[in-house]
Amino acid sequence: QFRSIFKEFPYFNYAQSKALDDLLYTDRNFVICAPTGSGKTVMFELAITRLLMEAPLPWLNIKVVYMAPIKALCSQRFDDWKEKFGPIGLSCKELTGDTVMDDLFEIHHAHIIITTPEKWDSMTRRWRDNSIVQLVRLFLIDEVHVIKDESRGATLEVVVSRMKTVQSSLWRLLENHDTVPPLRFVAVSATIPNAEDIAEWLSDSKMPAVCLKIDEDQRPVKLRKIVLGFPCSDNQTEYKFDLTLNYKIASIIQTYSEQKPALVFCATRKGVQQAASVLAKDAKFLLSIEQKQRLQRSANSLKDSKLRDLLMYGVAYHHAGMELSDRKIIEGAFAVGDLPVLFTTSTLAMGVNLPAHLVVIKSTMHYVGGVFQEYSETDILQMIGRAGRPQFDTTATAVIMTRWSTREKYIQMLNSADIIESSLHRHLVEHLNAEIVLHTVTDVTVALEWIRSTFLYIRALKNPAHYGFSSALHKIGIEAKLQELCLKNLNDLSSFDLIRMDEANNFKPTETGRLMAWYYIAFDTVKQFFTIKGTETLNELVIQLFKENLHIKVTLNKDKEKLTIRFPMEGKIKTREMKINCLIQAQLGCIPIQDFTLTQDTGRIFRSGVRVTRWLSDFLASCKNNFSALLNSLILAKCFRCKLWENSLHVSKQLEKIGVSLSNAMVNAGLTSFKKIEGTNARELELILNRHPPFGNQIKESVLHLPKYELAIEQLPKYSDTLAEILVAIKLTNYDQLQTKRTATDFHYVTLVIGDADNQVIFNQKIMDSVLLKTGNWTKKIEVKRALKSEDISINLISSDYVGLDIQQAYTAFYLTPKTVGSKAVTNQKLKAESSLDMYYGSPRSLPAAKVDTGGRSKQEITYKKYGNRECNHRCKNKDVCGHDCCKTGVPPNSEMNGDSKFSLYLADLRSRNSISSVPPVKRLKMQMLNQAQNVDLKQSVFTPESLLPALPR
């Protein structure tokens, strides 16, 4: 049943025979080092086959993890293995995107998990235990040479070391070592000089790993590799440099193609089309009559008119944005040799197998997520691996076009002259914290064992100078230095309360440490925010977020004639903090950024900003004396996700199919809120946006099914000199519409955060829409301690994902005695209806004045006043029927009673109005919200003092 798995084996010699024996007939860990295009994938399939042969049926509790550094490679492997292993009952699951809630559920039932190092690290960091990790029996590492990458290598190293540590911990805990299922590692890489070090790292205590090296001369098609450097001035952008290379392609193809098919990799889809158009004008290809006829037939079938014209010149392009039928036609023409030159993006190197005699990499920079960045070594090797057609050629050529300044770097890469070193020592503190959070490392002994399981340990023993140790040190001295480095990092974590250490040096993670691991936050960033005061404004938080040097020019600060940023800065933009601040404000304010380099920088800032701001709001939630900073961090996190300020007029930009230009049209038409958009006729919307029906209906439908909230606050009859109690109710006003369709995602939530005038956090809780959708409302009793400055409290309902849905109210709580200033008593008889936004942004705005209930006097008050008495202090619900005589006739006036007569009267009125209804306030509010048909009039029953508290908002 395994024959269908192995459809082809590129070549088979003594080296492959040796690999076959070790992979298929032993369980030894295995490292194979071979040129790209040598068929290393078959090695993984042999290892999987070995596992299936040894494991008893049914294969329930076995898992295989395949890890590759790039998503495209994972997607290719997923498609391939789903087809190969599906028929024999193995399910595959690809984990490469952002984490979603069902990932854990799905991998419980998957046999083969295909993932990237970052995703596997992220997933395993979030699990409460190692139960799934313990089921992994085979760990396959593709392109293991990526471990030398300074930014990504440490992640690959720690996830492999984590797997090794979990395995050794199991072995140590279980008395019967035979019951511990073995974990096998199989790693493949391009040709590297110190593959033996990788093998040593992956060896276990029982047996060393096998290291198989296949030289370049054993490649089935000999590959000639050429690196060409071109001048690039300092003021020349990557985009302009890429354009200049278009005019060099013709001479390179003429020199190296030998009249055979050539594949040219470009940075962007647009760049692919531009380069193809230039070549069609610059070069003429000799085509036979049969080739021309076949190309003509292919051209007639194409939907893309530009591509149709180019094809007749012997030139075409291919990228993921094309029609599928057009892509298939172009692939077919190139595969049979009718098409001399094909321009494509780097994704083709991972997906479609289209080998060529000549491969040209036009520029070593590519465009990813709005930013130009260098191709990774894996990307370069994958593209070069397309050079060589075993069925047609004995030789092939790969040409890399790069800047003159980076030419030597790529020569070294292609010659595999660089020794693979670890980069873990640069990120050790973050990864140690992650292991402690995951309980992989539980004490100092295990921490040192974990260090010994890393590639860092292997290389430090052989090249101590690279890691800052003296080259004269022997093994014991180097181990002591590594132990010292480990303990220093542990002490750093402990000093910032990220972990806790007891006297026996056992570790326990703190909530702050968990958040740092969860959100992938650098230790320096955590240290920086430990100095936060708690009163920071939005602008101050923006300034603190980023400390990286961007080398950018900004002209958006102040301009009388143009739209400028929300918080202008004094003087010229000089420091990097000011530059980053300005770019963030420009993006959030929908100010167009014309400079291409600035656009790249902005994209990079916002990708990091979404993650960091989410961490910041969770980090600040653990404190109680930073209400202003917490509120602004919640707002800022939402702003980064929406790429809008919280008070932006461009709310429509958040809707599907609405971009910047259409959003501007809506703003110009006065449609600056969801309510206004919903109230506009669909045909009018189409007229404003210059779109055809049913576009207006679709926009209105999206707005109609956004969650709409109502916030109600009521003070309860439980109060003292220092404590009051309020009831907060949140209601989904469009509850019925949301039962059938929702615009927001299933993970949308609102955060209820309440603070007082002393900047203390009174209440903070996330409320999922899924909770509100059960009954349509949510209520909570909240105790409010009296603040020193005033009785004002700020109540805020902040949406996680949308600008324009927030509710922010100010409220004044009532306490038993008036506030004293010096020797004078102060009574607040009016609610201050100030927006909490004003309080923390410094902009003078006010909410509509709240209405005050002026209910009538009770019979009891009239009765006890006849006797010249005052009301008693009993809190009976109905003083007409209670058993106290004093409740009906009152008590003699107290000569020592402090406070003016107005305050006494309003206290009496407060109590008398409470006695009208015997229904508790909580029940009254629920009755109103759940059964509005009864039209319960709360104006007469809400527990609010006359002329002080507002009526319940309707």
Side-chain angles (χ1 to χ4, degrees):
Q1 64 178 330
F2 298 118
R3 286 177 183 173
S4 62
I5 297 173
F6 307 108
K7 293 179 181 177
E8 58 180 282
F9 210 119
Y11 57 98
F12 201 83
N13 53 29
Y14 172 77
Q16 277 70 35
S17 299
K18 179 64 177 171
L20 182 69
D21 291 340
D22 285 317
L23 283 169
L24 200 56
Y25 300 114
T26 74
D27 290 319
R28 296 177 68 180
N29 293 339
F30 194 90
V31 177
I32 181 168
C33 200
T36 302
S38 301
K40 298 188 293 290
T41 304
V42 179
M43 306 299 173
F44 291 143
E45 293 169 352
L46 287 169
I48 294 173
T49 304
R50 166 68 180 180
L51 175 62
L52 299 179
M53 290 165 59
E54 294 296 308
L57 286 168
W59 300 310
L60 296 177
N61 290 324
I62 63 165
K63 296 198 182 295
V64 177
V65 174
Y66 167 87
M67 197 162 64
I70 44 183
K71 294 180 182 179
L73 205 54
C74 290
S75 297
Q76 181 189 7
R77 192 63 49 240
F78 174 71
D79 293 337
D80 184 23
W81 284 356
K82 183 172 63 173
E83 182 182 340
K84 283 185 176 179
F85 292 108
I88 62 171
L90 294 184
S91 61
C92 297
K93 169 66 180 171
E94 184 181 2
L95 290 179
T96 54
D98 295 330
T99 301
V100 292
M101 298 298 284
D102 61 350
D103 275 349
L104 186 59
F105 173 79
E106 290 192 29
I107 61 178
H108 263 298
H109 301 280
H111 297 95
I112 302 176
I113 302 165
I114 298 168
T115 186
T116 60
E118 290 79 11
K119 183 64 178 181
W120 187 249
D121 186 21
S122 171
M123 288 291 293
T124 51
R125 281 187 185 197
R126 295 161 190 245
W127 293 341
R128 297 184 184 276
D129 56 52
N130 291 323
S131 58
I132 292 182
V133 175
Q134 292 169 10
L135 295 177
V136 177
R137 299 279 301 279
L138 179 60
F139 204 88
L140 308 173
I141 312 165
D142 207 347
E143 311 290 351
V144 72
H145 54 269
V146 171
I147 199 169
K148 71 177 181 182
D149 188 281
E150 288 194 6
S151 60
R152 305 184 65 195
T155 304
L156 171 59
E157 185 172 346
V158 295
V159 294
V160 173
S161 296
R162 181 179 303 157
M163 301 301 295
K164 294 174 65 180
T165 306
V166 168
Q167 182 75 3
S168 61
S169 298
L170 276 176
W171 194 84
R172 190 169 54 249
L173 289 172
L174 297 176
E175 295 180 1
N176 184 5
H177 297 163
D178 293 334
T179 61
V180 180
L183 172 61
R184 187 185 194 188
F185 291 95
V186 176
V188 304
S189 81
T191 307
I192 53 175
N194 60 326
E196 295 82 1
D197 292 335
I198 301 288
E200 185 180 350
W201 173 45
L202 296 180
S203 298
D204 57 32
S205 56
K206 299 177 183 177
M207 191 174 294
V210 177
C211 181
L212 177 63
K213 297 179 76 170
I214 300 175
D215 296 330
E216 192 74 34
D217 57 5
Q218 291 179 296
R219 201 175 189 268
V221 178
K222 302 297 182 288
L223 181 63
R224 177 170 57 148
K225 293 172 281 190
I226 298 163
V227 181
L228 301 177
F230 298 91
C232 179
S233 59
D234 293 337
N235 59 355
Q236 191 175 26
T237 65
E238 289 299 335
Y239 178 69
K240 290 181 179 178
F241 175 68
D242 189 70
L243 284 178
T244 63
L245 296 183
N246 289 340
Y247 300 92
K248 315 286 185 184
I249 295 291
S251 61
I252 290 173
I253 289 175
Q254 186 179 0
T255 306
Y256 300 107
S257 72
E258 301 177 7
Q259 302 298 315
K260 295 178 181 179
L263 196 58
V264 183
F265 289 102
C266 303
T268 64
R269 296 177 184 180
K270 186 177 180 181
V272 163
Q273 297 177 8
Q274 290 173 335
S277 299
V278 170
L279 183 66
K281 295 175 183 177
D282 290 354
K284 304 297 179 187
F285 297 98
L286 297 175
L287 300 173
S288 67
I289 296 174
E290 292 80 8
Q291 280 180 304
K292 289 181 180 178
Q293 289 174 346
R294 286 194 293 266
L295 286 177
Q296 183 65 61
R297 286 196 295 269
S298 297
N300 293 337
S301 303
L302 292 172
K303 298 178 181 179
D304 187 334
S305 58
K306 290 182 181 178
L307 183 58
R308 191 183 307 130
D309 296 337
L310 288 173
L311 192 60
M312 297 313 300
Y313 291 97
V315 178
Y317 54 79
H318 181 291
H319 58 72
M322 292 167 54
E323 290 277 353
L324 180 61
S325 59
D326 284 4
R327 291 208 306 266
K328 294 297 183 185
I329 291 169
I330 296 302
E331 289 167 14
F334 189 76
V336 298
D338 288 340
L339 185 60
V341 182
L342 177 60
F343 289 83
T344 183
T345 53
S346 61
T347 51
L348 184 72
M350 314 301 167
V352 184
N353 185 18
L354 285 180
H357 176 78
L358 170 65
V359 165
V360 180
I361 301 176
K362 184 181 77 79
S363 177
T364 51
M365 303 284 281
H366 65 144
Y367 195 64
V368 179
V371 180
F372 263 114
Q373 62 186 35
E374 295 273 352
Y375 283 119
S376 67
E377 183 175 349
T378 302
D379 290 327
I380 294 288
L381 295 175
Q382 284 290 327
M383 287 184 277
I384 286 175
R386 293 301 181 207
R389 302 173 300 163
Q391 65 271 43
F392 301 116
D393 301 325
T394 56
T395 62
T397 305
V399 177
I400 295 178
M401 303 170 70
T402 188
R403 290 158 291 165
W404 185 258
S405 58
T406 56
R407 178 174 177 268
E408 199 61 36
K409 167 188 171 182
Y410 288 98
I411 291 174
Q412 292 280 338
M413 179 192 294
L414 296 183
N415 291 336
S416 304
D418 287 342
I419 299 289
I420 303 294
E421 297 286 359
S422 171
S423 57
L424 179 58
H425 58 295
R426 296 186 178 93
H427 311 277
L428 187 60
V429 65
E430 288 89 359
H431 289 298
L432 259 177
N433 177 67
E435 299 307 315
I436 292 170
V437 168
L438 194 59
H439 303 295
T440 309
V441 173
T442 54
D443 56 45
V444 171
T445 304
V446 179
L448 297 177
E449 180 187 325
W450 177 78
I451 281 285
R452 292 189 188 97
S453 73
T454 63
F455 187 62
L456 169 65
Y457 176 78
I458 302 295
R459 287 303 305 161
L461 293 180
K462 297 183 179 181
N463 187 14
H466 180 81
Y467 304 96
F469 307 144
S470 170
S471 55
L473 289 174
H474 296 293
K475 181 178 178 180
I476 296 175
I478 294 170
E479 285 188 338
K481 287 290 184 182
L482 285 172
Q483 179 175 333
E484 184 181 316
L485 176 65
C486 182
L487 291 173
K488 176 187 176 299
N489 282 291
L490 290 169
N491 285 324
D492 287 344
L493 291 171
S494 179
S495 65
F496 284 92
D497 198 37
L498 296 168
I499 63 169
R500 291 200 174 96
M501 301 169 62
D502 58 22
E503 294 179 357
N505 286 330
N506 294 314
F507 307 138
K508 284 189 177 179
T510 64
E511 185 58 30
T512 309
R514 288 190 185 94
L515 290 173
M516 175 182 164
W518 183 286
Y519 287 109
Y520 253 73
I521 302 299
F523 181 58
D524 288 340
T525 303
V526 175
K527 287 197 296 185
Q528 173 191 331
F529 277 97
F530 261 94
T531 62
I532 207 162
K533 295 178 293 185
T535 57
E536 282 76 5
T537 63
L538 266 181
N539 193 29
E540 289 170 341
L541 289 179
V542 169
I543 292 171
Q544 291 197 48
L545 277 177
F546 299 94
K547 296 295 183 182
E548 54 192 275
N549 199 348
L550 293 177
H551 301 292
I552 51 182
K553 297 178 182 178
V554 181
T555 56
L556 303 167
N557 191 30
K558 292 180 181 177
D559 193 324
K560 294 180 181 179
E561 299 179 0
K562 295 181 181 178
L563 186 66
T564 57
I565 59 178
R566 179 177 176 180
F567 302 108
M569 289 166 277
E570 295 297 327
K572 294 183 178 179
I573 306 298
K574 294 180 179 179
T575 66
R576 63 179 181 270
E577 289 85 359
M578 293 174 76
K579 293 174 183 177
I580 296 168
N581 187 338
C582 205
L583 281 182
I584 291 173
Q585 292 198 55
Q587 177 73 55
L588 296 178
C590 294
I591 301 173
I593 301 173
Q594 305 294 348
D595 187 276
F596 185 72
T597 307
L598 293 183
T599 305
Q600 294 182 51
D601 292 327
T602 306
R604 180 152 50 98
I605 290 168
F606 270 78
R607 279 197 303 279
S608 300
V610 169
R611 173 176 50 84
V612 176
T613 51
R614 287 180 65 187
W615 164 78
L616 179 60
S617 58
D618 283 354
F619 169 70
L620 293 174
S622 60
C623 305
K624 292 295 182 184
N625 60 345
N626 56 6
F627 170 66
S628 175
L630 173 60
L631 174 62
N632 286 317
S633 70
L634 288 166
I635 293 171
L636 189 61
K638 185 248 298 290
C639 291
F640 266 83
R641 281 194 285 277
C642 300
K643 294 186 178 178
L644 289 173
W645 283 120
E646 86 295 341
N647 62 353
S648 175
L649 303 178
H650 294 78
V651 293
S652 58
K653 186 168 167 276
Q654 303 167 91
L655 302 174
E656 191 179 359
K657 300 179 182 178
I658 300 289
V660 176
S661 58
L662 293 185
S663 178
N664 285 332
M666 284 218 180
V667 172
N668 293 336
L671 302 179
T672 55
S673 71
F674 290 129
K675 185 177 181 181
K676 290 179 179 178
I677 295 171
E678 188 178 343
T680 305
N681 183 274
R683 304 291 81 81
E684 290 179 13
L685 286 175
E686 289 154 4
L687 188 65
I688 292 167
L689 300 174
N690 193 24
R691 291 292 184 272
H692 296 294
F695 192 81
N697 299 83
Q698 293 169 354
I699 297 302
K700 289 196 65 172
E701 193 77 6
S702 294
V703 176
L704 183 68
H705 292 97
L706 280 172
K708 296 176 180 62
Y709 307 98
E710 186 179 87
L711 182 64
I713 307 107
E714 177 187 4
Q715 181 154 351
L716 301 177
K718 179 184 178 182
Y719 52 89
S720 65
D721 293 348
T722 58
L723 198 68
E725 188 175 54
I726 61 172
L727 181 73
V728 177
I730 300 169
K731 179 182 177 182
L732 268 179
T733 59
N734 59 339
Y735 171 76
D736 293 332
Q737 291 99 319
L738 297 182
Q739 295 301 312
T740 55
K741 182 181 177 183
R742 295 192 296 277
T743 301
T745 67
D746 293 339
F747 310 115
H748 179 260
Y749 61 88
V750 287
T751 303
L752 177 64
V753 57
I754 304 174
D756 63 18
D758 291 345
N759 204 37
Q760 298 292 313
V761 178
I762 297 170
F763 185 81
N764 176 34
Q765 183 174 325
K766 293 178 181 177
I767 305 163
M768 298 291 296
D769 278 359
S770 56
V771 174
L772 290 169
L773 284 166
K774 291 178 181 177
T775 59
N777 60 79
W778 177 95
T779 57
K780 182 75 175 179
K781 287 183 182 179
I782 300 169
E783 287 190 342
V784 180
K785 291 183 179 179
R786 193 170 195 167
L788 296 175
K789 291 183 179 179
S790 78
E791 285 81 15
D792 294 339
I793 58 176
S794 174
I795 303 174
N796 306 269
L797 196 66
I798 308 297
S799 164
S800 62
D801 295 335
Y802 286 94
V803 164
L805 299 183
D806 297 353
I807 300 176
Q808 298 184 286
Q809 292 184 13
Y811 190 85
T812 303
F814 167 72
Y815 299 90
L816 187 61
T817 59
K819 179 185 174 183
T820 57
V821 178
S823 59
K824 296 181 180 180
V826 179
T827 59
N828 293 327
Q829 296 190 356
K830 290 184 180 179
L831 169 68
K832 294 181 180 179
E834 297 176 352
S835 167
S836 57
L837 284 170
D838 310 335
M839 206 178 302
Y840 300 103
Y841 303 155
S843 55
R845 294 180 295 177
S846 61
L847 295 173
K851 295 180 181 178
V852 180
D853 180 22
T854 54
R857 304 283 175 160
S858 67
K859 294 179 181 179
Q860 288 86 358
E861 180 184 358
I862 298 169
T863 304
Y864 68 66
K865 279 191 173 182
K866 286 182 180 179
Y867 299 97
N869 293 338
R870 63 177 179 84
E871 186 183 11
C872 70
N873 289 329
H874 288 139
R875 295 184 181 179
C876 302
K877 293 295 181 185
N878 191 336
K879 295 199 174 189
D880 287 330
V881 296
C882 74
H884 305 124
D885 289 336
C886 59
C887 287
K888 302 172 182 60
T889 60
V891 294
N894 189 348
S895 60
E896 298 179 0
M897 180 178 174
N898 295 323
D900 56 24
S901 58
K902 287 185 180 180
F903 191 70
S904 302
L905 288 174
Y906 115 81
L907 272 179
D909 182 53
L910 184 69
R911 295 191 179 96
S912 67
R913 281 194 287 143
N914 182 52
S915 68
I916 293 173
S917 173
S918 61
V919 179
V922 179
K923 188 172 181 181
R924 270 187 278 129
L925 187 62
K926 288 183 177 178
M927 286 169 61
Q928 182 207 27
M929 298 180 72
L930 296 177
N931 194 5
Q932 291 186 354
Q934 295 180 4
N935 294 322
V936 179
D937 188 2
L938 293 184
K939 285 187 177 181
Q940 299 298 320
S941 57
V942 172
F943 187 82
T944 53
E946 183 179 15
S947 303
L948 184 67
L949 298 179
L952 185 68
R954 293 189 181 275

